[in-house]
Amino acid sequence: MGNPLLDISAVVDKDFLDKYTLKPNDQILAEDKHKALFEELVKKFKVEYHAGGATQNSIKIAQWMIQEPHKVGTFFGCIGKDKFGEILKHKAEEAHVDAHYYEQDEEPTGTCAACITGDNRWSLVANLAAANCYKKDKHLDLEENWKLVEKAKVCYIAGFFLTVSLESILKVAKHAAENNKLFCLNLSAPFICQFFKDNLMQVMPYVDVLFGNETEAAAFAKEQDFETNDVKEIAKKAQALPKVNTKRQRIVVLTQGKDDTVMAMGDKIETFPVLKIDPKNIVDTNGAGDAFVGGFLSELVQEKPLDQCVKAAHYAANIIIRRAGCTFPEKPDFK
């Protein structure tokens, strides 16, 4: 469950970033000053449209890794009744994801401007619009939708959704804990750890698998007064936070770009090297985190060992960064 967004990506110049005070490698929510950005991006630069939204990307990748049967992943989120909404529906279908959108006509379908500059740096500006209108009582609580949650073995929600519907997340999280299912969450962005930390910490006791990258981990550690910048230490401390379902130990998985991925479980810390790649083969690192999670979930849902989950995660991320947007070849070549 998450924010379905249509990604509008373009290679831009530094002046464009400066004009809208955008930082490279950052994700933010659009404010009034960014409204013109979307129009200017489309007018001035060569744009590509990709179905996006972090959670939806991850589910798509998990489906791609699994291949058969189709529709192993169900996705909930809110869109508008418009052209962009139709594109998202079509793209979800193409990817064999079972998307059940809450459709409303007060707000248009959400978009995310992916402003790419040289050396594989990017800045994301999300205009949530319809995605921000998801309502528990209008969608999640409906019997036909809740049945799909009950059917699920693994639930995954990106931290971005914490800004939209905390009550929906808590309903799913509590259901997972009560039924000993896996509930997975992503820190998603530094601003989630900073400005939505109360929501984040209400959900944390239910989290079985926590994902994040090194920047998010640092922001989380700072807000939680962990008093360390060491990623392994942060993973250990996050792992030890209070947990409702004591039948499962929390697993914390933190990525660090080209450096080793860190995993904490119990009092054990493991590191896994990522797959080597020649920098000149890197096209777009924007979807790497989403792809990592998708790869991980594809093995997790099949109850494979954790080191195999990380291996699949690294494989998926390695494929995605070679292409523009969160796109992939027809079939994976993962063993």
Side-chain angles (χ1 to χ4, degrees):
M1 182 163 59
N3 300 332
L5 304 172
L6 190 72
D7 285 345
I8 306 172
S9 60
V11 175
V12 303
D13 47 35
K14 191 176 177 304
D15 293 347
F16 185 82
L17 290 190
D18 294 343
K19 180 176 176 181
Y20 293 103
T21 59
L22 302 178
K23 289 189 287 210
N25 290 354
D26 197 19
Q27 302 107 318
I28 59 165
L29 292 177
E31 295 166 42
D32 285 343
K33 65 178 181 188
H34 299 115
K35 289 287 181 269
L37 176 151
F38 290 85
E39 285 160 31
E40 189 179 333
L41 192 68
V42 173
K43 268 202 202 101
K44 255 178 93 169
F45 303 97
K46 187 179 166 297
V47 300
E48 285 187 17
Y49 293 96
H50 295 285
T55 307
Q56 194 168 232
N57 281 344
S58 295
I59 300 306
K60 237 188 255 177
I61 298 280
Q63 175 66 62
W64 172 70
M65 289 286 287
I66 290 168
Q67 289 283 309
E68 302 278 338
H70 290 163
K71 297 195 171 181
V72 289
T74 299
F75 176 78
F76 290 174
C78 182
I79 58 174
K81 295 179 177 172
D82 50 25
K83 189 180 97 209
F84 283 177
E86 288 304 315
I87 294 175
L88 283 183
K89 284 200 272 191
H90 174 66
K91 294 282 186 188
E93 218 164 281
E94 253 180 14
H96 309 299
V97 169
D98 190 21
H100 293 253
Y101 296 117
Y102 167 47
E103 297 181 45
Q104 49 72 61
D105 45 20
E106 276 162 45
E107 286 281 341
T109 297
T111 49
C112 180
C115 310
I116 304 156
T117 52
D119 66 12
N120 315 309
R121 290 161 84 77
W122 39 265
S123 198
L124 302 181
V125 185
N127 180 26
L128 296 183
N132 207 22
C133 300
Y134 189 84
K135 301 277 182 290
K136 173 178 166 289
D137 56 335
K138 295 257 169 59
H139 194 262
L140 184 66
D141 291 345
L142 303 184
E143 195 188 343
E144 68 268 27
N145 292 331
W146 187 249
K147 271 195 172 126
L148 295 165
V149 178
E150 291 180 325
K151 214 173 79 174
K153 282 207 284 191
V154 177
C155 301
Y156 171 68
I157 301 176
F160 289 125
F161 202 59
L162 288 163
T163 76
V164 173
S165 182
L166 176 64
E167 51 174 6
S168 297
I169 300 178
L170 285 170
K171 182 175 181 176
V172 172
K174 286 172 180 170
H175 164 78
E178 283 157 15
N179 295 278
N180 195 29
K181 296 175 169 187
L182 284 160
F183 180 77
C184 314
L185 185 80
N186 202 319
L187 293 174
S188 290
F191 83 85
I192 298 290
C193 306
Q194 291 157 340
F195 308 120
F196 292 89
K197 76 165 166 197
D198 293 349
N199 290 8
L200 176 60
M201 294 323 282
Q202 277 189 61
V203 177
M204 195 58 76
Y206 301 98
V207 177
D208 295 302
V209 186
L210 180 68
F211 296 101
N213 66 21
E214 74 278 35
T215 353
E216 295 148 12
F220 182 69
K222 193 175 172 214
E223 292 300 325
Q224 299 301 317
D225 299 321
F226 283 175
E227 295 181 339
T228 179
N229 283 326
D230 182 296
V231 174
K232 289 183 191 165
E233 280 304 306
I234 297 170
K236 212 190 234 166
K237 290 191 180 221
Q239 197 279 331
L241 290 167
K243 192 166 184 304
V244 170
N245 178 9
T246 50
K247 291 185 190 138
R248 295 181 184 276
Q249 288 200 318
R250 181 179 295 120
I251 301 157
V252 178
V253 190
L254 300 176
T255 60
Q256 310 184 78
K258 62 182 189 323
D259 297 324
D260 289 6
T261 293
V262 172
M263 181 161 69
M265 190 186 176
D267 45 14
K268 219 167 69 186
I269 297 271
E270 287 189 72
T271 58
F272 302 86
V274 303
L275 295 166
K276 294 269 181 285
I277 183 168
D278 186 329
K280 64 173 186 287
N281 292 331
I282 300 175
V283 174
D284 178 4
T285 55
N286 181 4
D290 300 341
F292 179 93
V293 171
F296 195 98
L297 295 177
S298 71
E299 299 294 295
L300 190 68
V301 76
Q302 298 178 71
E303 295 169 8
K304 299 279 174 66
L306 291 171
D307 57 346
Q308 184 70 2
C309 296
V310 175
K311 201 178 153 192
H314 284 164
Y315 169 80
N318 182 274
I319 294 292
I320 293 304
I321 59 179
R322 297 168 188 266
R323 306 164 70 95
C326 200
T327 59
F328 35 80
E330 196 187 335
K331 285 200 159 83
D333 174 25
F334 175 72
K335 298 288 177 284

